[in-house]
Amino acid sequence: MFKAILLEESDGKVAAKLTELDEDSLPDGDVTVAVDYSTLNYKDGMVLNGIGRLVRTYPHVPGIDFAGTVAESSHPDYKAGDPVVLTGWRVGEMHWGGHAEKARVKGDWLVPLPEGLTAKRAMAIGTAGFTAMLAVMALEDHGLDPAKGEVLVTGAAGGVGSVAVAILHKLGYEVAASTGRPETHDYLTGLGAASLIERSEIAEPSGRPLDKERWQACIDSVGGKTLACVLPQIAYGGSVAAVGLAGGNALETTVLPFLLRGVNLLGIDSVMCPLDRRRAAWARLVRDLPMDKLDGMINEAKLSDLLTLGGEILKGQVRGRVVVDTHA
């Protein structure tokens, strides 16, 4: 038996509870993992609250990330005792996930835990930090340069934003961090933000197709009107890496930033990201993410805390990275 968060649906409503399950209830897969740590992402909050129809079949164990040790394996690349990490592949949505002490998945979805990284720190990174690294890499592929000016990070106090600020600062960039929570200003400055931008300042488009060139690039986790506001402010040849939709999935803008300034809008997908890009991103995280900054982002939790935290993250009330000790 093992502890797990279990979601059940009744009359169209989803309810979550902490329970114990038998290992025989785990879904099909060629690797069984003893999960040590998981985490909480915005998408987890949606799943825990039955929002967005991300889960189609119940009962269901959520948790889109986990790190732990292989318990059993028939996959050629993994054996019992191997430390591993998983993000993406619609685990926690279409397939039972990591909000449990055990998980069974396809070995092709796993990545060996990078040398020098603990399971706890891997989950402090999680999908949020992994996505932030993919965004930085995509911006680098499109000419990101510390000499070209400020990089804006929206939703900076959230999971993706926190890691993005820390990585960019470590790499020598001047980071402007946008947040609507004044109580996070010291936190963001501690991560390396050179300036703080009030959320309201970039919450509404000006109505002009082009504004003053203000940022060389942006990592945007908000979307919606914020993204529409930022695009006309990007400098010539700059880029926006779009990683989230906390402010909505609609985008009303013009094509003029793309046609007259050569601005790039880069979509960042961490779910189906190819294995070679995954390995490269994890290697970069070990190298380019300051671990002391990462440790400062951690909010420790246990499985039962997810019943409350799942709602709080949707309201923007969670700062940094929630790391879930599945055995606590």
Side-chain angles (χ1 to χ4, degrees):
M1 303 294 290
F2 62 95
K3 291 189 298 183
I5 296 292
L6 187 70
L7 305 181
E8 295 180 297
E9 185 180 40
S10 178
D11 297 327
K13 294 183 179 180
V14 175
K17 66 179 180 181
L18 178 63
T19 188
E20 288 196 346
L21 300 174
D22 190 282
E23 190 170 321
D24 291 340
S25 64
L26 288 169
D28 292 338
D30 51 11
V31 179
T32 301
V33 178
V35 178
D36 293 317
Y37 291 95
S38 186
T39 184
L40 178 72
N41 297 281
Y42 191 88
K43 186 181 289 185
D44 291 317
M46 295 177 68
V47 170
L48 284 160
N49 288 277
I51 297 172
R53 295 295 295 169
L54 295 171
V55 177
R56 300 300 177 88
T57 304
Y58 294 90
H60 178 75
V61 174
I64 67 173
D65 301 339
F66 63 78
T69 304
V70 172
E72 296 179 31
S73 173
S74 59
H75 190 282
D77 293 343
Y78 297 100
K79 64 183 185 303
D82 287 345
V84 292
V85 60
L86 181 141
T87 64
W89 303 112
R90 303 207 71 183
V91 170
E93 303 175 59
M94 303 296 291
H95 192 91
W96 280 21
H99 289 166
E101 291 181 298
K102 290 188 179 181
R104 183 176 292 140
V105 296
K106 293 182 179 180
D108 290 344
W109 296 342
L110 296 168
V111 172
L113 187 69
E115 187 174 348
L117 192 66
T118 65
K120 183 176 181 178
R121 281 177 166 169
M123 285 298 96
I125 295 170
T127 285
F130 176 64
T131 301
M133 191 72 251
L134 290 176
V136 171
M137 291 165 64
L139 292 175
E140 289 174 338
D141 292 342
H142 288 79
L144 193 68
D145 185 334
K148 291 182 179 179
E150 282 187 295
V151 180
L152 175 66
V153 177
T154 69
V160 177
S162 294
V163 178
V165 170
I167 291 172
L168 289 167
H169 175 69
K170 169 80 178 291
L171 293 174
Y173 293 92
E174 186 177 355
V175 183
S178 170
T179 180
R181 293 183 278 170
E183 68 274 13
T184 65
H185 285 184
D186 289 345
Y187 166 73
L188 291 169
T189 302
L191 292 179
S195 61
L196 298 165
I197 308 298
E198 291 300 321
R199 180 190 298 161
S200 59
E201 193 176 328
I202 53 171
E204 291 285 342
S206 68
R208 296 182 294 271
L210 292 174
D211 290 320
K212 180 181 178 181
E213 297 179 47
R214 191 172 180 185
W215 326 103
Q216 73 150 312
C218 172
I219 296 177
D220 174 55
S221 60
V222 180
K225 292 182 178 180
T226 293
L227 179 55
C229 178
V230 169
L231 281 168
Q233 300 177 0
I234 299 298
Y236 189 90
S239 303
V240 176
V243 302
L245 44 68
N249 60 8
L251 179 60
E252 296 184 18
T253 188
T254 77
V255 297
L256 292 185
F258 313 119
L259 301 182
L260 299 182
R261 286 187 181 160
V263 169
N264 305 294
L265 180 56
L266 310 174
I268 307 300
D269 169 55
S270 64
V271 177
M272 306 304 291
C273 179
L275 184 58
D276 58 346
R277 190 74 166 177
R278 285 178 185 274
R279 289 176 180 262
W282 278 105
R284 286 286 304 273
L285 283 160
V286 172
R287 187 184 80 192
D288 295 333
L289 175 59
M291 291 299 152
D292 60 331
K293 304 294 187 186
L294 179 67
D295 291 343
M297 300 177 200
I298 293 176
N299 295 301
E300 296 192 34
K302 51 186 183 291
L303 284 173
S304 60
D305 294 331
L306 292 169
L307 304 178
T308 301
L309 290 171
E312 291 180 358
I313 196 170
L314 298 180
K315 298 175 183 177
Q317 297 172 346
V318 172
R319 188 191 81 177
R321 301 291 297 128
V322 174
V323 176
V324 182
D325 183 346
T326 62
H327 305 306

